Amino acid sequence: KAKMEELITGDDNYIELSLAHDGEFGFDAVLTVSLENATSGELANLFYYNEKTEEFEFLCATPVDAEGKAAFNFKHASDYVIIISEQSLDNKVEIMKEERQRAELIQKEAHKAELAAKDAPTKEPAKATGIMILILIGSIAIAAGAILLINRKK
């Protein structure tokens, strides 16, 4: 799941925002946010936290004006995060999902390799024991055959 720690990297300039209201507003509310350390020309990327899916969803990228402010349209109250960047982060959530899937696949493969490594030593002695038993049975058969031949000749 896309958590805040995944969405924001160490050097990101961001602001968390929580709007409290029960349900939709019934109109588009425009909220202008003053963004510290943001400069004109940068983009304020707005992400919404969807409680049902427990994922962040990209909503829009709004240019920061000359006064360091960005205006956003809100239809409902929720938890949001605004990340200031030189580019739109519209694909950031998808990239995070792909990275998570890759990490999970690597983890599964490592787990499979670990299990195989644990099983390998137990399989090898069993093989060796089987081979030794076959050699022993073969030796007994040869010895018995030799004894029978010797007894026949007498």
Side-chain angles (χ1 to χ4, degrees):
K1 309 270 182 198
K3 301 293 181 200
M4 184 78 127
E5 300 82 32
E6 291 178 294
L7 188 64
I8 298 170
T9 58
D11 56 346
D12 281 339
N13 181 12
Y14 70 95
I15 183 171
E16 295 177 60
L17 181 64
S18 186
L19 301 178
H21 177 73
D22 188 22
E24 294 192 13
F25 294 136
F27 58 90
D28 285 353
V30 178
L31 178 64
T32 302
V33 181
S34 181
L35 304 164
E36 292 182 25
N37 302 322
T39 57
S40 179
E42 289 184 307
L43 293 174
N45 294 273
L46 181 64
F47 292 86
Y48 149 72
Y49 184 72
N50 184 330
E51 290 181 1
K52 290 180 185 174
T53 63
E54 296 181 351
E55 296 275 351
F56 277 97
E57 297 175 7
F58 176 82
L59 293 180
C60 66
T62 302
V64 176
D65 68 16
E67 297 173 1
K69 296 179 181 180
F72 300 98
N73 290 327
F74 290 92
K75 296 181 187 279
H76 60 87
S78 189
D79 293 326
Y80 299 89
V81 65
I82 301 168
I83 302 175
I84 310 305
S85 177
E86 292 181 7
Q87 60 199 15
S88 174
L89 301 176
D90 58 336
N91 63 348
K92 186 163 187 163
V93 173
E94 285 304 313
I95 291 170
M96 287 171 25
K97 285 180 186 178
E98 289 171 8
E99 288 174 355
R100 256 194 326 274
Q101 288 171 345
R102 243 180 276 129
E104 287 172 5
L105 182 61
I106 290 168
Q107 187 177 12
K108 284 179 185 176
E109 291 302 318
H111 184 68
K112 283 181 188 177
E114 184 180 316
L115 290 177
K118 284 181 182 178
D119 286 347
T122 59
K123 287 181 182 175
E124 291 305 315
K127 254 187 192 175
T129 303
I131 292 169
M132 286 193 291
I133 289 171
L134 287 174
I135 291 171
L136 182 60
I137 291 171
S139 298
I140 292 171
I142 291 170
I147 292 171
L148 286 173
L149 280 175
I150 292 172
N151 285 338
R152 268 192 179 180
K153 287 183 180 182
K154 289 184 180 180

